Amino acid sequence: MRRTLAAAALALLIAGPAFADDDCDRDNQSQMAMNQCAGVDAAKADAALNTVYKQLAAKLDGKEKTALRDAQRAWITFRDKEGEDRTGEKEGGSMRPMELAACAREMTEARTKALAHDLACAGDD
């Protein structure tokens, strides 16, 4: 139950700011503002990942595209569970949403780099 709530909170942090104004008040040091800014940063990283993923998927066909889709779904599950694990000691705390979003951003940026590498290699065929 707690993991489900944490995953839902992460999803709201990532998705919510994507529909809101792209800016956040980085001068505001309240925890709520820092949580919001971390969510904005995670949403930006997610948008960049989606762009690279779509570009790579467009270069693939058949089994390769299916394999990429399956790998991406597995990676998303891993990212979310890893964030829960890394921030478990902060469960129930006001900093946890920020920590979850920061973890998601960090891991998403690394995944984007990996897919960008694959995209560059896909042009070598």
Side-chain angles (χ1 to χ4, degrees), residues 67-85:
L68 174 65
R69 183 201 64 212
D70 293 348
Q72 189 66 9
R73 286 178 179 171
W75 176 83
I76 290 167
T77 299
F78 168 74
R79 178 198 63 192
D80 295 345
K81 289 186 181 296
E82 182 72 9
E84 290 174 17
D85 181 55

Side-chain angles (χ1 to χ4, degrees), residues 17-28:
F19 299 108
D21 187 14
D22 199 352
D23 296 325
C24 69
D25 185 2
R26 295 197 188 274
D27 294 330
N28 185 340

Side-chain angles (χ1 to χ4, degrees), residues 9-59:
L10 176 60
L12 287 173
L13 269 174
I14 292 172
F19 299 108
D21 187 14
D22 199 352
D23 296 325
C24 69
D25 185 2
R26 295 197 188 274
D27 294 330
N28 185 340
Q29 293 299 302
S30 72
Q31 191 60 56
M32 183 180 290
M34 289 187 288
N35 291 350
Q36 180 186 7
C37 290
V40 167
D41 293 343
K44 287 178 183 178
D46 195 53
L49 173 64
N50 287 333
T51 297
V52 173
Y53 173 86
K54 288 176 185 175
Q55 291 171 346
L56 178 58
K59 290 193 171 211

Side-chain angles (χ1 to χ4, degrees), residues 56 59 116-125:
L56 178 58
K59 290 193 171 211
H117 177 267
D118 292 348
L119 178 61
C121 292
D124 293 342
D125 292 340

